[in-house]
Amino acid sequence: MTALAHEHDAPEAKMPHQDLDEVLWQAWKAMELPEGYRAEIVEGFIEVSPTGRYSHSRIVNRLRDRLSAFLAGSEYAARQDVNVIHGRKVWIPDVFVLSEDDDGQYVTEDGLGVDASAVPLVVEVVPPGHDSTARDRVRKRRAYARAGIPVYVLVDDYDGHGTVSVLTSPIPGEARYTGELRVQYGSEVVIPEGPAKGFVIDEAITGPPRNAIG
């Protein structure tokens, strides 16, 4: 993963927060990435990362397929590979829930993605590597809470034998979630609220517990 940002420690490089957001936004829009890479704006950085390896995509696709079936007939759908935008921040969740929208009301004015306010649930499946795990466990956790996204699901192959965390009740001003359900692979966790309320994440999605990998 590559991260691009302003230099925090150089006084002469400091600029008002809004100016930095605009600089990063314009740089992000101008980026031309090779196939198989994606770029997000997370907490003052442009982060470029490759698409997931097979084990990662297997969990993502299982989860999306089952979530799509669960939401069938409702006003919501499971989506992926779409920019979720909050102000001048951009994320590409592995899976997210979005209200079905026939008239484009949730698409941002510039057409680059959907507004985070229309997203009641996001899912990230943690990829390998220190920077990647820190992004999903820490930086995106704060970012999603700051945006007020009601439910953040974190599927983490690299937490002991594997864990699933369901984070709820965000406090945007404090950039944190106050509710957390966390279970080991092999156990079930149920989404407690929102359009996916009652959806079960279990071994059929995650696979069996992993070897302890820290």
Side-chain angles (χ1 to χ4, degrees):
M1 180 195 71
T2 301
L4 307 176
H6 71 304
E7 181 59 55
H8 292 278
D9 298 326
E12 67 276 12
K14 290 183 179 180
M15 62 181 72
H17 184 70
Q18 288 185 335
D19 291 346
L20 170 62
D21 284 348
E22 185 63 26
V23 168
L24 292 174
W25 176 253
Q26 295 301 329
W28 175 81
K29 289 200 298 181
M31 294 182 76
E32 295 184 7
L33 297 176
E35 185 176 354
Y37 285 82
R38 62 184 188 176
E40 302 172 283
I41 303 177
V42 184
E43 292 199 327
F45 289 80
I46 296 177
E47 301 197 17
V48 179
S49 56
T51 54
R53 60 179 66 184
Y54 175 74
S55 59
H56 175 274
S57 63
R58 179 174 57 188
I59 294 175
V60 170
N61 289 323
R62 283 175 178 169
L63 197 151
R64 183 192 170 179
D65 289 347
R66 290 174 181 269
L67 187 55
S68 292
F70 182 87
L71 294 170
S74 75
E75 297 178 357
Y76 293 85
R79 296 286 182 254
Q80 60 188 148
D81 299 325
V82 178
N83 298 317
V84 174
I85 297 175
H86 177 66
R88 289 294 189 256
K89 310 296 188 296
V90 183
W91 313 297
I92 308 174
D94 287 320
V95 181
F96 66 97
V97 172
L98 181 69
S99 177
E100 286 281 38
D101 175 17
D102 294 329
D103 57 7
Q105 61 180 312
Y106 303 124
V107 177
T108 56
E109 185 176 350
D110 49 26
L112 293 175
V114 297
D115 195 282
S117 64
V119 176
L121 179 147
V122 291
V123 180
E124 297 288 0
V125 178
V126 176
H130 175 75
D131 285 344
S132 296
T133 55
R135 179 183 66 234
D136 287 351
R137 292 174 182 171
V138 180
R139 297 194 294 276
K140 278 195 170 181
R141 178 173 178 152
R142 289 192 299 246
Y144 290 147
R146 193 177 288 117
I149 293 176
V151 181
Y152 176 27
V153 177
L154 186 66
V155 182
D156 195 341
D157 262 6
Y158 304 95
D159 180 11
H161 297 281
T163 62
V164 180
S165 299
V166 179
L167 307 167
T168 57
S169 302
I171 302 179
E174 298 179 10
R176 67 185 181 93
Y177 286 94
T178 60
E180 180 173 0
L181 300 171
R182 182 171 174 272
V183 303
Q184 303 292 321
Y185 281 11
S187 300
E188 294 183 351
V189 63
V190 180
I191 303 300
E193 63 180 68
K197 181 178 180 179
F199 179 71
V200 176
I201 301 173
D202 57 14
E203 192 169 321
I205 291 174
T206 65
R210 309 296 191 253
N211 294 328
I213 48 184

